[in-house]
């Protein structure tokens, strides 16, 4: 049986002590009270709801922490990269062991940092790019698609995908889903979303000239307030440029 006892301290704070006692009164067992005085079922459910929310937030925090530990980092990504970059070897990003080529090695350049962010993809890469002729960046996308099983989708410009040196044809031949702008204007975006949680965006086209010659910038962030609008924009462009909705001759051209 339970009996509720109210005790007042010298600081005038009231605490309710839950004391479990087994006893009999006048030969009859006293019916226990299920809740202390002043409590109601409504208040109880409200407290339970608060507890559930707190537990959910705690689980989300633990999940984020585990992702950070898995990726080898302890805080959300937030980085700005400026170009042009110096020429360095990137073979160590793909192959185990040291490289014997004559190019400088290391992860300190903006371009190497960019490649590492892209290679962090585990499930998906959504790419919206105006001009794509960089063989190094193409190598990264093909690595994700062929070797790591990452789902890759690409939206590009219908005119610039046809220029000399474009890597769009190589992506299509590898089986990557590619759609191009079907309207009369350019698809001028330059952004990528990794695993639907990491945004890479800026002025940088994926070309040799942009990487090693132009003055360019790239913002990398996991801030959901920025990532979410870009995800919505990508899905809007992906649906709007479905060739099944508006087939043209150029839709069937394989570069």
């Amino acid at each position: 049986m339970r009996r509720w006892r109210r005790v007042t301290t010298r600081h005038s704070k009231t605490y309710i002590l839950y004391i479990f006692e087994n006893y009999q009164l006048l030969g009859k067992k006293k019916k226990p009270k299920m809740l202390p005085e002043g409590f109601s079922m409504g208040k109880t459910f409200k407290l339970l709801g608060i507890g559930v929310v707190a537990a959910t937030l705690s689980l989300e925090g633990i999940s984020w922490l585990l992702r950070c530990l898995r990726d080898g980092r302890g805080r959300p990504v937030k980085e700005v990269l400026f170009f042009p970059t110096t020429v360095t070897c990137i073979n160590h990003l793909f192959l185990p062991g040291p490289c014997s080529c004559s190019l400088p090695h290391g992860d300190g350049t903006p371009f190497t940092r960019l490649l590492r962010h892209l290679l962090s993809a585990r499930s998906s890469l959504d790419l919206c790019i105006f001009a794509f002729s960089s063989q190094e960046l193409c190598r990264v996308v093909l690595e994700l698609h062929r070797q790591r099983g990452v789902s890759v989708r690409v939206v590009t410009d219908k005119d610039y995908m046809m220029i000399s040196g474009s890597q769009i044809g190589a992506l299509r031949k590898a089986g990557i889903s590619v759609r191009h702008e079907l309207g009369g204007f350019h698809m001028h975006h330059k952004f990528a979303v990794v695993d639907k949680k990491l945004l890479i965006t800026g002025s940088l086209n994926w070309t040799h000239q942009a990487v090693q010659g132009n003055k360019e910038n790239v913002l990398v962030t996991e801030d959901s307030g920025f990532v979410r609008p870009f995800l919505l924009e990508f899905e809007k462009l992906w649906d709007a440029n479905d060739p099944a909705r508006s087939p043209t001759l150029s839709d069937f051209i394989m570069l």
Side-chain angles (χ1 to χ4, degrees):
M1 302 302 171
R2 290 183 177 84
R3 186 171 62 193
W4 309 102
R5 182 180 302 167
R6 188 178 298 275
V7 179
T8 304
T9 68
R10 61 177 179 175
H11 298 294
S12 299
K13 293 183 178 179
T14 302
Y15 299 87
I16 299 175
L17 303 179
Y18 308 101
I19 305 173
F20 181 78
E21 298 178 353
N22 289 318
Y23 66 97
Q24 289 184 340
L25 182 61
L26 299 176
K28 296 182 179 180
K29 290 185 178 181
K30 190 174 180 179
K31 185 178 181 180
K33 296 180 181 179
M34 301 305 296
L35 292 171
E37 295 179 4
F39 276 70
S40 65
M41 292 300 294
K43 289 182 178 180
T44 301
F45 284 123
K46 185 181 292 185
L47 290 174
L48 289 174
I50 294 173
V52 170
V53 172
T56 302
L57 293 176
S58 298
L59 289 174
E60 290 182 355
I62 293 172
S63 176
W64 172 83
L65 179 60
L66 290 175
R67 288 199 306 269
C68 290
L69 293 175
R70 180 198 66 191
D71 297 338
R73 50 187 171 83
R75 56 183 179 181
V77 175
K78 185 171 57 176
E79 184 174 15
V80 177
L81 306 172
F82 291 104
F83 293 81
T85 184
T86 55
V87 179
T88 58
C89 176
I90 63 170
N91 286 331
H92 64 287
L93 300 177
F94 305 93
L95 304 173
C99 176
S100 59
C101 76
S102 60
L103 291 174
H105 295 74
D107 293 338
T109 69
F111 189 56
T112 306
R113 295 289 302 153
L114 172 61
L115 298 186
R116 281 208 176 274
H117 286 306
L118 291 167
L119 288 169
S120 71
R122 297 291 184 271
S123 59
S124 67
L125 173 65
D126 293 330
L127 174 61
C128 222
I129 196 71
F130 175 62
F132 190 171
S133 60
S134 169
Q135 294 181 351
E136 292 83 3
L137 284 162
C138 182
R139 181 180 179 184
V140 168
V141 177
L142 293 177
E143 168 78 12
L144 293 173
H145 171 69
R146 290 173 172 170
Q147 305 300 327
R148 307 191 184 188
V150 173
S151 174
V152 180
R153 297 185 296 174
V154 179
V155 176
T156 189
D157 185 75
K158 66 180 179 182
D159 294 329
Y160 272 74
M161 74 176 188
M162 305 291 291
I163 64 173
S164 177
S166 173
Q167 299 299 309
I168 297 300
L171 301 184
R172 279 181 163 162
K173 289 177 182 178
I176 293 175
S177 299
V178 178
R179 293 181 181 179
H180 61 76
E181 174 63 45
L182 296 176
F185 295 92
H186 288 303
M187 200 303 299
H188 206 246
H189 285 314
K190 301 106 178 175
F191 71 84
V193 182
V194 176
D195 293 339
K196 301 190 183 304
K197 64 184 180 65
L198 176 69
L199 172 66
I200 302 172
T201 187
S203 66
L204 185 77
N205 273 306
W206 285 20
T207 65
H208 176 79
Q209 177 178 318
V211 171
Q212 296 188 9
N214 295 351
K215 305 298 187 296
E216 308 279 3
N217 66 83
V218 171
L219 172 68
V220 185
T221 179
E222 284 185 319
D223 190 322
S224 61
F226 293 106
V227 176
R228 192 177 300 110
F230 279 87
L231 278 173
L232 294 175
E233 175 68 6
F234 183 89
E235 294 297 340
K236 182 178 72 174
L237 292 173
W238 186 256
D239 292 339
N241 294 294
D242 185 351
R245 294 185 177 185
S246 179
T248 62
L249 179 61
S250 60
D251 295 327
F252 303 100
I253 296 177
M254 297 296 292
L255 300 179

